[in-house]
Amino acid sequence: MFNKNNWQQPIYKNDLKTVLIFGISAMILGGILSGLLEALLYDLQIRISFCLLLNAVFIGFLVKKAYASYHILYPTLAIIFYFFSFFFSDLGRNVGILGFGNLGYIFTSPQTYYYFIIIPFRNLIYMINYGFDFVLLLFLLLNIFFYILGYISVYKLSKGRN
């Protein structure tokens, strides 16, 4: 996987530019769209973060399509893009739940900038604050499973068959 010899291969400038452009746009757009989908599911009382897998598939496929010659840097960048797509997903979810009228609050709230890191563990925080619930525990385990599966799939999808 992360072998020392893989890092010694040449990096082509055009491939790197294309991967950065596609990865950043996938991070932003995929994050916002999956956050809005999660806000819709929040209204339906479904607390599974599908954004974890949607972002992984979106970023993985776009990064794979962006380069012509493989380098280990590209899947590594895809993992970084995947991590930061959680911020845009959380931003889209907050806009979907609170509405566009609260954009000032969303951007000035400190929760906006650190809460995206703990996306799969939101149900754990909810259970700590409001008491144990078996359904929330099940959703917590599913979210952690999707979180791990997302990192694996974004690496595998962006790596391709190389």
Side-chain angles (χ1 to χ4, degrees):
M1 190 159 113
F2 288 103
N3 191 349
K4 181 178 135 180
N5 295 331
N6 290 340
W7 290 98
Q8 295 173 351
Q9 295 174 352
I11 299 174
Y12 296 106
K13 189 176 180 181
N14 289 336
D15 282 349
L16 183 61
K17 279 190 217 176
T18 311
V19 165
L20 288 174
I21 290 169
F22 277 36
I24 290 172
S25 62
M27 173 182 69
I28 294 170
L29 295 176
I32 290 172
L33 289 175
S34 64
L36 291 173
L37 175 67
E38 195 170 328
L40 177 69
L41 293 174
Y42 182 83
D43 288 341
L44 300 173
Q45 300 296 322
I46 299 173
R47 298 190 186 270
I48 298 174
S49 294
F50 289 108
C51 71
L52 299 170
L53 282 179
L54 288 176
N55 287 343
V57 170
F58 195 59
I59 291 171
F61 278 134
L62 282 181
V63 167
K64 171 63 180 144
K65 297 291 181 189
Y67 61 85
S69 67
Y70 174 76
H71 192 276
I72 191 69
L73 178 66
Y74 307 144
T76 307
L77 284 173
I79 290 172
I80 294 168
F81 294 144
Y82 178 63
F83 176 74
F84 285 108
S85 71
F86 297 154
F87 171 75
F88 293 102
S89 176
D90 195 48
L91 187 69
R93 182 174 91 49
N94 287 339
V95 168
I97 292 172
L98 299 175
F100 284 106
N102 293 323
L103 274 177
Y105 169 74
I106 290 170
F107 282 114
T108 58
S109 170
Q111 286 181 340
T112 303
Y113 299 103
Y114 67 86
Y115 199 53
F116 76 95
I117 296 171
I118 56 171
I119 279 180
F121 305 105
R122 284 185 181 153
N123 293 326
L124 177 66
I125 294 170
Y126 190 82
M127 283 192 302
I128 289 171
N129 290 338
Y130 298 108
F132 178 78
D133 187 9
F134 181 73
V135 173
L136 284 179
L137 179 65
L138 179 66
F139 285 155
L140 171 70
L141 294 175
L142 280 172
N143 282 340
I144 292 172
F145 174 73
F146 285 153
Y147 189 73
I148 293 169
L149 186 65
Y151 275 107
I152 293 170
S153 64
V154 77
Y155 177 78
K156 297 266 186 187
L157 287 171
S158 63
K159 182 180 176 191
R161 296 179 191 226
N162 299 326

